[in-house]
Amino acid sequence: AQKVTQAQTEISVVEKEDVTLDCVYETRDTTYYLFWYKQPPSGELVFLIRRNSFDEQNEISGRYSWNFQKSTSSFNFTITASQVVDSAVYFCALSALRSGNTPLVFGKGTRLSVIA
Amino acid sequence: NAGVTQTPKFQVLKTGQSMTLQCAQDMNHEYMSWYRQDPGMGLRLIHYSVGAGITDQGEVPNGYNVSRSTTEDFPLRLLSAAPSQTSVYFCASSPWGMEDTEAFFGQGTRLTVV
């Protein structure tokens, strides 16, 4: 079975602080994909990143960075110098590759509030 | 390019009524799925389809039916609405192999059952 755990339900930070959102996953598959999506107050789901299980390189995109560690089954997301516009619910998700891709399995999300 | 289009955006139903949530995509994606989002529960998979004529159940399929007669459309039917089906529903589509892309989501349908 596949499972994604986001233990942090809500996080509140002051603007310009750094914040890390945790994601721990479970799967028996050797080939899989990990995702992060952002859901702003307007409600749509915005794709942030996809990472496959064979690529453990960390990735940085502007103020966003992702740390993938297979040894701890974690795919954590850090926002540097947070801004009010980062306030949203963030979802981590997992899809495995078997005969084809399995549907995305989502964590319960972390609500991030950035206070000015 | 419209992407994934869901209709309606909002709907209020009475208990026992039936309705169909529409989902259409214009990207020729094989893979389509329906999720429901409830507070504190994340997105849970209802049904999915890997191509026209093929559907399968997800985590929470009870009370919902789907069919996939074309590549473009994947409607979700509520046979007899219950208050427990009050939720926000998202439709998603992606190519069959997700190696090079991500799932594209519709804007969501907010359904209230009274």
Side-chain angles (χ1 to χ4, degrees):
Chain A
Q2 299 174 347
K3 185 178 179 181
V4 175
T5 301
Q6 295 179 256
Q8 305 150 308
T9 305
E10 295 190 30
I11 300 176
S12 183
V13 299
V14 176
E15 202 170 24
K16 298 184 183 177
E17 285 185 352
D18 298 346
V19 58
T20 295
L21 310 183
D22 297 332
C23 173
V24 174
Y25 63 92
E26 296 175 29
T27 180
R28 295 181 180 177
D29 298 279
T30 56
T31 303
Y32 52 89
Y33 304 93
L34 295 163
F35 300 77
W36 276 95
Y37 281 84
K38 174 183 180 180
Q39 187 177 45
S42 50
E44 73 272 23
L45 287 158
V46 179
F47 167 78
L48 295 178
I49 191 172
R50 178 196 70 255
R51 179 53 54 110
N52 74 56
S53 53
F54 298 107
D55 183 1
E56 286 194 72
Q57 281 191 340
N58 291 335
E59 181 155 342
I60 298 174
S61 177
R63 296 184 296 107
Y64 295 172
S65 62
W66 291 269
N67 183 339
F68 175 31
Q69 292 194 337
K70 288 180 75 170
S71 60
T72 56
S73 298
S74 65
F75 187 43
N76 296 339
F77 173 32
T78 297
I79 302 175
T80 302
S82 60
Q83 300 176 1
V84 172
V85 293
D86 295 327
S87 297
V89 180
Y90 291 86
F91 292 98
C92 182
L94 166 71
S95 173
L97 179 63
R98 297 172 185 162
S99 55
N101 291 106
T102 61
L104 285 171
V105 173
F106 284 84
K108 294 184 178 181
T110 297
R111 181 178 300 277
L112 174 65
S113 298
V114 181
I115 303 166
Chain B
N1 190 343
V4 180
T5 302
Q6 287 184 238
T7 55
K9 288 187 171 51
F10 301 94
Q11 183 71 49
V12 178
L13 286 180
K14 294 183 179 180
T15 297
Q17 285 185 318
S18 62
M19 80 159 294
T20 299
L21 307 186
Q22 301 292 344
C23 177
Q25 52 94 5
D26 60 1
M27 297 171 282
N28 202 32
H29 287 166
E30 301 94 336
Y31 214 124
M32 296 186 75
S33 50
W34 277 101
Y35 292 85
R36 60 176 288 172
Q37 182 180 14
D38 302 293
M41 299 297 292
L43 281 83
R44 293 182 293 170
L45 182 67
I46 305 171
H47 286 285
Y48 66 101
S49 168
V50 301
I54 306 170
T55 63
D56 207 346
Q57 296 182 349
E59 180 185 356
V60 288
N62 292 340
Y64 308 95
N65 272 1
V66 292
S67 60
R68 184 96 178 268
S69 55
T70 67
T71 299
E72 295 78 19
D73 300 298
F74 191 43
L76 179 71
R77 297 183 187 85
L78 282 69
L79 305 175
S80 178
S84 61
Q85 293 178 304
T86 294
S87 188
V88 180
Y89 292 84
F90 286 97
C91 178
S93 79
S94 64
W96 176 223
M98 211 181 289
E99 293 89 342
D100 298 322
T101 185
E102 80 279 7
F104 295 82
F105 284 85
Q107 294 293 309
T109 296
R110 185 174 295 274
L111 175 68
T112 302
V113 183
V114 298

